[in-house]
Amino acid sequence: CKSLAPEPPGSGAVAQGGSAPAWVSERSGRVALTAEDERGNPTRWQATFLLKLGEGERLQLDLIDPLGNTQARIRSRSDGAELETPKEGVQRYADLASLTQTLTGVALPASAWRYWLRGEPDPALPASRGEQNGLPVLDQAGFSIRIARARIDGTPALLVLTRLDRPDLNVRIVLDD
Amino acid sequence: AFVPATQAGAIDDFQRYVAGRGALTGQFTQESATGSKLRRTSGTFAIARPGKFRWAIDKPFEQLIVSDGAKVWFWDKDLNQVTVRQLKDALSATPVALLLGGELLAQFNLKEGGERDGLQWLEATPKGKDLQFQRIAVGLKDGVPMRMELVDAFNQTSRIQFAQVNNAAQPAANSFTFSPPAGADVLQQ
């Protein structure tokens, strides 16, 4: 469900009060998403991102424009997800999947990202592996995660996410070192 | 080029700068506190009034922002995606709008910020409610912008340092136009 009780920016940082547990890891880079919503309208955007990962479903994703200005902040916890923007304030969702479904027409799972960004499957979900143009492809949760460019140590530098059931969807992620 | 009056404050100097017809070119280094890391990008810029602007990031990756005075193109080479937006939507109440002057300047309240680090500072606070920046400070030297300090709506801070600034520049005619490379994904917003 999406409650439209916008609150001023910065108020939704820690809803339950008190200091939040520390982040486990942090990834940054740039992302571009191409998709169509239910009415076939193109949804496309690109941004620099900073992803902070905590335990389980807990994450915070900042989307930053090329001039260094944070356009939006997405938070996910076990009890729900929220999107905060300067214009709309804080909007709450049941979980990250429903938040991303509303915004992009695609339900993105919260827990798998920490693994996918390393080019690995989420151990909690079934997965299969393959290869495309000599580079590994991982299929999980309905997504095909292709390492389009890898570093010397084999870690992903450029990931491309697609879905068989959504040919309109294309998510490209360039990862900083 | 304009010559700033010696005893004028930063606001007067800045008003004179934005009223001038000359273009501004130079290099920039932008540092943003992104998470636990300091994110640094650098490149070149060109500004010409009214509303023309080029912001070319070349390190550590290639990104380009170009405004022809009506439209703004955002291009990221690695992602091979171009976003095209109207100037007034893309740059409203942003640091670039401040530097472009003209009607965009009307979106800010300006206040003297005193002298610091050998620069005369002015503080610009966006007038609107839902805007994306809490504070933009501009440090001027002889009336020319040399540094900007920004705090966005999420208290993320960044600093832009200008260098090799030429305020009597003649940017090349094609500096403020952009044609998407073949195969790039172009989105009109």
Side-chain angles (χ1 to χ4, degrees), chain A residues 13 23-25 50-62 73-78 80-82 96-97 99-100 108-114 117:
Chain A
W23 299 111
V24 171
S25 64
L50 168 65
L51 177 63
K52 294 180 178 181
L53 296 160
E55 295 300 341
E57 305 228 337
R58 201 164 153 266
L59 64 81
Q60 175 174 296
L61 175 67
D62 285 356
R73 172 167 289 173
I74 291 172
R75 279 182 219 88
S76 168
R77 293 185 302 263
S78 52
E82 26 184 72
L96 186 69
L99 184 152
T100 50
L108 299 173
S111 59
W113 284 102
R114 74 194 68 237
L117 292 182

Side-chain angles (χ1 to χ4, degrees), chain A residues 3-21:
Chain A
S3 98
L4 287 180
E7 292 169 10
S11 63
V14 175
Q16 70 276 20
S19 67

Side-chain angles (χ1 to χ4, degrees), chain A residues 5 10 31 42 46 48 57 73 75 88 110 124 134 154 172:
Chain A
V31 57
Q46 57 180 311
T48 295
E57 305 228 337
R73 172 167 289 173
R75 279 182 219 88
E88 309 284 342
R172 296 191 291 281

Side-chain angles (χ1 to χ4, degrees), chain B residues 69-90:
Chain B
K71 284 191 286 192
V72 180
W73 290 267
F74 291 98
W75 177 60
D76 183 300
K77 183 176 182 183
D78 284 328
L79 297 172
N80 205 18
Q81 177 153 314
V82 176
T83 308
V84 191
R85 301 180 64 189
Q86 295 307 310
L87 174 64
K88 63 176 176 35
D89 303 331

Side-chain angles (χ1 to χ4, degrees), chain B residues 15-135:
Chain B
Q15 301 278 23
R16 229 185 313 280
Y17 150 69
V18 289
R21 286 286 100 207
L24 199 70
T25 61
Q27 298 166 358
F28 70 84
T29 300
Q30 178 161 3
E31 292 177 339
S32 312
T34 312
S36 59
K37 287 186 221 151
L38 187 68
R39 188 182 184 80
R40 179 175 293 122
T41 56
S42 61
T44 58
F45 72 93
I47 293 168
R49 287 173 291 276
K52 293 180 179 163
F53 168 75
R54 181 182 189 88
W55 191 264
I57 297 172
D58 46 42
K59 283 195 193 65
F61 45 75
E62 282 187 50
Q63 267 184 355
L64 184 58
I65 308 167
V66 173
S67 162
D68 63 1
K71 284 191 286 192
V72 180
W73 290 267
F74 291 98
W75 177 60
D76 183 300
K77 183 176 182 183
D78 284 328
L79 297 172
N80 205 18
Q81 177 153 314
V82 176
T83 308
V84 191
R85 301 180 64 189
Q86 295 307 310
L87 174 64
K88 63 176 176 35
D89 303 331
L91 299 184
S92 74
T94 63
V96 172
L98 197 59
L99 294 179
L100 288 170
E103 63 198 30
L104 292 170
L105 202 52
Q107 301 168 3
F108 298 92
N109 288 314
L110 301 182
K111 192 177 69 164
E112 291 290 340
E115 183 165 346
R116 175 168 48 94
D117 300 344
L119 302 172
Q120 284 282 342
W121 289 85
L122 70 88
E123 299 267 335
T125 311
K127 288 180 181 170
K129 210 170 33 42
D130 57 17
L131 293 171
Q132 301 164 14
F133 278 88
Q134 295 180 44
R135 172 180 168 262

